[in-house]
Structure formats: structure tokens, C-alpha cells
Amino acid sequence: MATVRVIDKTGAELRTIDLSDAVFGIEPNKQAMFDALVMQQASLRQGTHDTLGRTEVSGGGKKPFRQKGTGRARQGSTRAPQWRGGGIVFGPTPRSYGYKLNRKVRRLALKSLLSQKVLDNSLTVMENVNFETPKTKNFVAMMDACKFDAKTLFVVDASEDFDNAWLACRNLPNVLMTTVEGMSALDIANADMLVATETAAKRIEEVFE
């Protein structure tokens, strides 16, 4: 069993808990992690690139010169691709770059990333993130007390009272808060520190076991 410490909002260690090896203790599958990250980044591409083909550029209605007798190659339009100002051949058009991975591969990737965080000592469990008021300075004080000075991902359970915490941290540049259901491979990989509430950690085990 993977053993991690449980801390409070002052950074004090309350106890340790054992996390399931089936979720937090597997051997990370590099191929699954790579595939999941590439898939998610591909789906973020806008795909709005567009070029004009010869049927879309303006002009070119008149034959530039007569067919025969000039000694030049015959031309039918000044908007053919070989002309300056002509259409683009096989240029990019709007498209979606998104695609899907098998569900088992996506789950394996998430478990691999969680296990990698445990191996790197980058996973911490916090008792809760309940705040009485949505004050950013209180959230920053908690971050300083816990020594979370890098990119940090907070994972909470949807049943918890985290509204004030979410409002307090949403303007902080290196902080992201998400629920267990909204957790993504890219968010986990991009974070230097993963902080899950105790309820969220149990929920992750229920979802992925």
C-alpha cells in the first residue's frame, strides 16, 4: 500500500493513510500516459486554419492571353496555383483534431500518472479545503504554510464544501482546482504538486479500482 501523509491547512501532519496499490501503486505505463496527453492536447487545438483554393480567390474570370500564337504556355486563369495571387493547392481547411482513446487506456493513463506522483513524492492528502470566506489572501497563506510554491493541482470531491476555496484560488496563476470527475491527464502531468482532499482520495479509489 502507498502511504502518504494527511495535513491540515497549516501544514501540520495529522496522520498517514494507506492508498490502494491498484490505483496509486502500479508501475506507470509510459505509452498510455503519452497517448493520453497527446490526445488531450490534440483536442485543444482550434483547427480554424483556412486557405483559399482557386475557386475561392477573387478575380481570374478573364483568360489572361489567347490560346495560341504567343509562344507561351496556355493559361486559362490568373488565379491558377502557379500565378501570384492564385489559389493554394492542398492548403489547410477547418477541421477537428480531436479523437478518442479506449476507455481502458484512459483509465490506465490516469492511474499511471497518479502512481508517478506517489513515486516522485509529489502527492499530498489534505484533510479538507473548507474556508469560511472566499479570500485569496487566506488561500495564499495556506499555500505558504504548506510550502506549495510550485504549480499545484487541488482535487476535491463534488460532495465537499469547496466553493469558497475555488473562488479564492481561481485568480492564482499556479493553482488549479478540479473535482475527481473533472480530473484530466494533462492537469495531473502539468502540476508539480498534486493535493487531494481525504474525501477525494477515497473517491478516486472507488472510481478507478
Side-chain angles (χ1 to χ4, degrees), residues 48-133:
T48 53
H49 40 44
D50 195 14
T51 55
L52 300 181
R54 66 178 295 170
T55 62
E56 298 170 301
V57 291
S58 61
K62 180 183 177 182
K63 189 173 175 67
F65 46 81
R66 59 196 177 96
Q67 181 82 346
K68 295 178 178 293
T70 64
R72 302 176 65 186
R74 57 192 176 184
Q75 300 291 328
S77 171
T78 57
R79 292 301 175 258
Q82 71 271 21
W83 285 75
R84 179 190 173 107
I88 302 298
V89 181
F90 302 134
T93 55
R95 55 165 289 199
S96 171
Y97 285 90
Y99 62 94
K100 294 192 180 234
L101 286 177
N102 291 335
R103 182 170 177 266
K104 287 184 178 180
V105 177
R106 297 198 307 269
R107 288 171 64 89
L108 176 60
L110 286 171
K111 290 193 288 186
S112 296
L113 286 162
L114 291 171
S115 299
Q116 188 64 55
K117 290 298 182 187
V118 174
L119 291 173
D120 296 339
N121 293 322
S122 299
L123 174 65
T124 301
V125 176
M126 183 170 281
E127 186 179 26
N128 60 64
V129 290
N130 297 345
F131 285 87
E132 294 182 0
T133 56

